[in-house]
């Protein structure tokens, strides 16, 4: 890969994808095939991994078990040129010329672009929410909860923050894996465009 290690020990990538499900891997395939040095971080509360079997996904008429699907999706991303890393992203912050990404296993990555492809657990984006518009508050069971505002990104995955894209969650995108993969591909194309 074309990564470099700056003096501070951080690894540089042109694109960091947070989430290695259908949306994240699909976005990564497009960015890596375009020639952008892409890393996919995948370890967290995956919505798809809560299922035992994936049905209605093109190419698998009898359905496919989730672990096999994930293995194929990660292999496809790696074949396209992505590095797939089993680590949890804890924070994404502004850096002088892009973003600084920190993981649970003390990896530090500097990147030009971040693609958020996680349906759950978007807290890692909180350091970027300077204007208070990225997260919404709602009441549930008499308690206040904060969650990522699914309308923060436009339908192409672009956000008001230069270099930050959202492949999931997006309001109008279905919870179906094949639709998430299609939206991830759309976002990946906009990143390289």
């Amino acid at each position: 890969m074309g990564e470099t290690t700056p003096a501070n020990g951080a690894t540089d990538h042109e694109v960091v994808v947070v989430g290695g499900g259908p949306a994240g891997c699909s976005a990564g395939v497009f960015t890596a095939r375009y020639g952008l040095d892409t890393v996919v971080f995948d370890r967290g509360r995956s919505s798809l991994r809560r299922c035992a079997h994936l049905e209605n996904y093109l190419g698998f008429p009898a359905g496919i078990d989730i672990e096999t699907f994930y293995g194929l999706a990660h292999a496809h991303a790696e074949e396209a040129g992505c590095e797939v890393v089993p680590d949890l992203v804890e924070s994404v912050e502004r850096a002088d010329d892009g973003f600084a990404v920190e993981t649970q296993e003390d990896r530090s990555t500097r990147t030009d672009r971040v693609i958020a492809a996680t349906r759950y657990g978007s807290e890692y984006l909180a350091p970027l929410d300077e204007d208070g518009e990225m997260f919404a508050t709602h009441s549930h069971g008499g308690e206040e909860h904060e969650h990522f505002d699914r309308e923060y990104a436009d339908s192409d995955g672009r956000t008001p923050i230069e270099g930050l894209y959202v492949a999931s969650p997006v309001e109008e995108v279905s919870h179906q894996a094949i639709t998430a993969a299609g939206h991830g591909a759309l976002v990946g194309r906009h990143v390289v465009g």
Side-chain angles (χ1 to χ4, degrees):
M1 302 283 333
E3 65 187 56
T4 60
T5 304
N8 66 2
T11 303
D12 280 351
H13 294 280
E14 292 172 290
V15 179
V16 167
V17 180
V18 183
C25 284
S26 185
V29 164
F30 276 82
T31 60
R33 282 192 175 156
Y34 186 77
L36 297 176
D37 182 13
T38 303
V39 62
V40 177
F41 287 108
D42 183 40
R43 191 173 75 208
R45 299 181 332 161
S46 169
S47 59
L48 189 57
R49 283 199 164 134
R50 295 175 183 204
C51 303
H53 196 75
L54 176 61
E55 297 179 3
N56 302 324
Y57 202 95
L58 189 62
F60 303 103
I64 185 170
D65 71 274
I66 299 304
E67 291 309 311
T68 301
F69 176 79
Y70 262 85
L72 290 169
H74 287 179
H76 191 159
E78 289 171 337
E79 179 67 29
C82 294
E83 177 184 0
V84 178
V85 178
D87 199 353
L88 179 71
V89 171
E90 291 194 330
S91 70
V92 176
E93 298 181 19
R94 288 282 208 186
D96 291 337
D97 54 350
F99 301 94
V101 178
E102 301 294 328
T103 72
Q104 190 174 56
E105 294 182 12
D106 295 325
R107 287 182 175 90
S108 296
T109 303
R110 215 261 344 125
T111 186
D112 302 321
R113 301 167 198 91
V114 172
I115 300 174
T118 53
R119 185 165 299 282
Y120 302 118
S122 301
E123 298 85 17
Y124 62 92
L125 294 172
L128 298 175
D129 193 21
E130 296 171 0
D131 57 11
E133 294 180 4
M134 190 180 292
F135 292 87
T137 304
H138 71 282
S139 294
H140 180 72
E143 294 183 23
E144 294 287 314
H145 297 276
E146 192 173 76
H147 61 87
F148 184 82
D149 184 353
R150 295 176 187 268
E151 296 179 0
Y152 185 72
D154 69 15
S155 62
D156 293 332
R158 294 182 183 100
T159 71
I161 298 173
E162 180 76 27
L164 176 65
Y165 299 83
V166 176
S168 177
V170 177
E171 188 59 43
E172 58 273 344
V173 175
S174 167
H175 293 282
Q176 293 292 321
I178 197 160
T179 307
H183 188 69
L186 174 76
V187 171
R189 287 184 52 219
H190 287 293
V191 170
V192 300

